[in-house]
Amino acid sequence: MLHSSRNAHLRLVTPPPTGSDEAADVDLARALMAGTPGAPELAWDRYAPLVHGIVGRALGPDAEVEDVTQEIFCRLFARIRTLRKPEALRSFVVSFAVRIVKWELRRRRARRWLTLSETGEVPDNQLLFMSVENRYALQRLYALLNKLGTRERLVLVLRHVEGMTLEEIAEAMEISLATVKRALRRASTRLSDLVDGDPKLGRPIGQPAPRSAK
Amino acid sequence: MSRLDDERPDGDWEPADLSPRAGALTDLARKSLGQISPAEQARGRDTLRARLAFGRWRTGRPFAYVLLGAAAATAVVALVSRAGVHEEAAAPLAYGIEGGALGPGGVIEARGATEPAVRFADGTVITLAKGTQGRINSVDGRGAHLSIAEGTASVNVVPKPHARWRIDAGPFTINVHGTVFTAAWSPATGRLDVRMERGLISVEGPLTGGPLALRAGQRLTVVPRESRVILARLDDSDDDAPVNPTAPAAPSEAATTAPSERPAAPAAVAPARPAVRPARPGRTWGASLAAGDFASIVDDAERDLPRALASASSDDLAALADAARYRRRDDLARRALTVQRRRFADSPRAADAAFFLGRLDENDGGGLIHALRWYDRYLDEAPSGSYAAEALGREMIALRELYGAARARDVADEYVRRFPRGSYAGAARALRGER
């Protein structure tokens, strides 16, 4: 529920479906449920950007975003028959993505994978072409997010990074709106404290050294 | 701080906002992460199709896919594992060798003049070119470990979560993360060639400076004997386009066409005999470095580090600094480079050391200011040095990051004028276009 102007900077990264999108979704959902050849590829073409975005932003800089996205689609197809309303395909996809991302976050937490890439050996795929300082800032952000509980982290990322509405988050995570709000408040406060108190972020940068002419 | 976590008068409770700094970070994440490129989407579609062909997800009514039939029709001549393809698998992946057989010790033996292909149950295929000597070292539920003693392998790995595929090519290790590429290793010339069609791999070995990431459309050539590393676009036929192995991944808009390859810079003082014990008898640290024997160099030096630093030749100090960087011992690398500058002041290697000290400072994540000074110093000492283009490019990027585009434009002008085809030419032109 976006009432106040202070949330005006938030935007929905993936626009909500239009009427024609919903009609196409109904056809696509029925084709998937009927096992029509080519339907999975169509679903991929339509929803891969959405799912990839959720995974990438929720997990952070991670070389396995593509792999997790693949996994989401494979599991989605395996459970497509549980979709009750074909017109709700988009919500179904988002819900699936969020569920698997949540599982992935918990798995990582359980294994105490505090490094940003699973192997710790490969440069993070999403960060290859970023500036050093932005890369560092993002690495710090996701290191701090690792300190949040899975639900808090996911709610915060879906809201502040992915730009979803509170209602969308509640639906995707299958929790109540009130729970979303509580979790978001805790997560926002905690992350703000962590960021503001992080000595490694925003260290004072000195004045530019005069550059000798060449 | 603009947090609001109060109850609204109408009872519509609004959750807290982020602090400005936290908000800026989440903004950065939103703008920077998660976008899927057309190439990634196309690759994902192919991968999905391949996975569907193996029926991992089917719930009853199967989809008809050509690949399923093709996979079933594959002439598997040696089924080595009984693992089922439908399981996510702690059990080893099933695989077979098409056009060949598995010999003693995991050696892949071609049948006649054919090119044997190892087909794994997850859809991964590794094909050995004619005459290639390869072996399967191990297979588990997440992937396999193969070695190429000589020749060329074409690798098509189907991405899946937590997969681990490793290809050894001579002294190089290629970690694969779902991709299509060829790798050729020649022990006679000591040359590795990797050509990337899709995906992402990392290559680690002599001269790579730790894992070196390769993306789709790039090729990598490493010739340790010539201290040569070339990372370029596939369609760039210029074989004399080396890059500094410590350099970051190239800007996306530019092929890596750095200026000149690393010379065998002469030491200012050439000792009559090695002042420190070589890593192996009869082998200098430089030779050990070329052979990829980094650990022994570091171990040798650390047996009596003060003495090693005080008595090593300029060449040995450079080799020690390289070995330390490859072993991720930045502390040791920094000491070797600092001593290089002090003991062999005014030599070409001392100037090179300034550049590498800048790279080390930059890699620290917070040392851009220091890195800038080192790049400046390098450019003063070696305005036409081997790393001039790289130093100028890094300086331009650092200036932009620290002080904004306006401060970086003079350097961008200089870069484009001096290195119009350099690695940072695209970024420099973009900066000039921001006026």
Side-chain angles (χ1 to χ4, degrees), chain B residues 1 65 69 91 153 276 347 359 381:
Chain B
M1 183 97 56
Y65 283 97
V276 293
S347 71
R359 294 294 295 127
E381 294 176 5

Side-chain angles (χ1 to χ4, degrees), chain B residues 69-358:
Chain B
T74 298
V76 175
V77 296
L79 189 62
V80 187
S81 166
R82 289 179 296 177
V85 296
H86 295 275
E87 295 174 0
E88 268 299 329
L93 286 171
Y95 69 97
I97 301 179
E98 190 179 50
L102 200 66
V107 172
I108 302 165
E109 297 175 341
R111 184 187 301 123
T114 60
E115 297 186 336
V118 186
R119 293 186 178 275
F120 292 86
D122 68 345
T124 294
V125 181
I126 299 175
T127 306
L128 302 187
K130 188 178 176 183
T132 296
Q133 298 172 21
R135 91 167 47 216
I136 299 173
N137 300 312
S138 62
V139 179
D140 60 25
R142 303 170 70 181
H145 174 195
L146 285 81
S147 297
I148 307 167
E150 181 173 12
T152 302
S154 298
V155 182
N156 187 342
V157 168
V158 174
K160 64 178 188 294
H162 323 307
R164 282 198 195 282
W165 294 87
R166 175 178 156 185
I167 313 288
D168 289 343
F172 295 91
T173 297
I174 302 171
N175 288 302
V176 188
H177 307 275
T179 192
V180 179
F181 70 98
T182 61
W185 166 248
S186 166
T189 59
R191 176 180 174 126
L192 173 76
D193 285 292
V194 181
R195 299 176 66 84
M196 289 293 300
E197 292 180 34
R198 297 202 305 258
L200 173 75
I201 63 171
S202 64
V203 180
E204 187 166 12
L207 296 182
T208 64
L212 184 62
L214 253 75
R215 299 171 68 84
Q218 291 185 322
R219 65 182 173 87
L220 171 72
T221 296
V222 188
V223 192
R225 292 174 194 176
E226 300 172 15
S227 297
R228 197 152 62 108
V229 180
I230 299 169
L231 177 61
R233 285 198 303 231
L234 277 178
D235 56 5
D236 183 351
S237 61
D238 180 8
D239 276 341
D240 294 324
V243 294
N244 166 16
T246 65
S252 55
E253 72 273 31
T256 37
T257 51
S260 59
E261 80 182 51
R262 185 176 182 174
V269 179
R273 59 183 178 178
V276 293
R277 191 165 61 89
R280 288 186 181 170
R283 186 195 266 182
T284 64
W285 279 356
S288 296
L289 185 76
D293 197 3
F294 313 136
S296 66
I297 298 173
V298 171
D299 290 346
D300 268 2
E302 291 195 317
R303 280 196 195 96
D304 188 352
L305 188 58
R307 178 174 174 274
L309 292 175
S311 62
S313 69
S314 178
D315 284 343
D316 281 339
L317 281 174
L320 173 59
D322 283 349
R325 285 188 296 114
Y326 301 156
R327 299 286 296 174
R328 300 181 181 176
R329 288 289 310 280
D330 285 1
D331 57 328
L332 181 58
R334 195 181 294 277
R335 289 188 68 177
L337 292 167
T338 304
V339 170
Q340 178 83 270
R341 286 190 59 78
R342 179 168 49 79
R343 288 186 53 214
F344 301 99
D346 301 326
S347 71
R349 285 210 184 280
D352 287 353
F355 171 77
F356 287 118
L357 283 165

Side-chain angles (χ1 to χ4, degrees), chain B residues 2-15:
Chain B
S2 63
R3 285 182 224 167
L4 297 172
D5 54 0
D6 54 332
E7 291 282 345
R8 290 183 163 259
D10 58 2
D12 184 11
W13 180 86
E14 190 70 19

Side-chain angles (χ1 to χ4, degrees), chain A residues 3 6 35 44-45 52 66 70 77-78 107 121 125-126 128-129 131 181 192-193 201 208 211 214, chain B residues 3-4 12-14 19 21 30 34 41 43-45 57 59 63 162 211 215 250 376 395 401 403:
Chain A
H3 294 292
R6 63 195 167 81
W44 171 267
D45 289 344
H52 191 276
E66 288 186 61
Q70 282 281 330
F77 296 148
R107 186 182 64 84
E121 296 169 349
N125 194 13
Q126 300 190 87
L128 280 176
F129 299 124
S131 69
K181 289 179 176 181
S192 296
D193 289 344
L201 274 171
R211 180 175 176 273
K214 290 184 234 319
Chain B
R3 285 182 224 167
L4 297 172
D12 184 11
W13 180 86
E14 190 70 19
S19 70
R21 292 177 73 193
R30 181 170 64 247
Q41 192 163 357
R43 181 169 66 241
R45 191 188 307 111
W57 61 280
T59 55
F63 288 173
H162 323 307
R215 299 171 68 84
D376 229 24
E395 187 175 79
E401 294 305 316
Y403 310 119

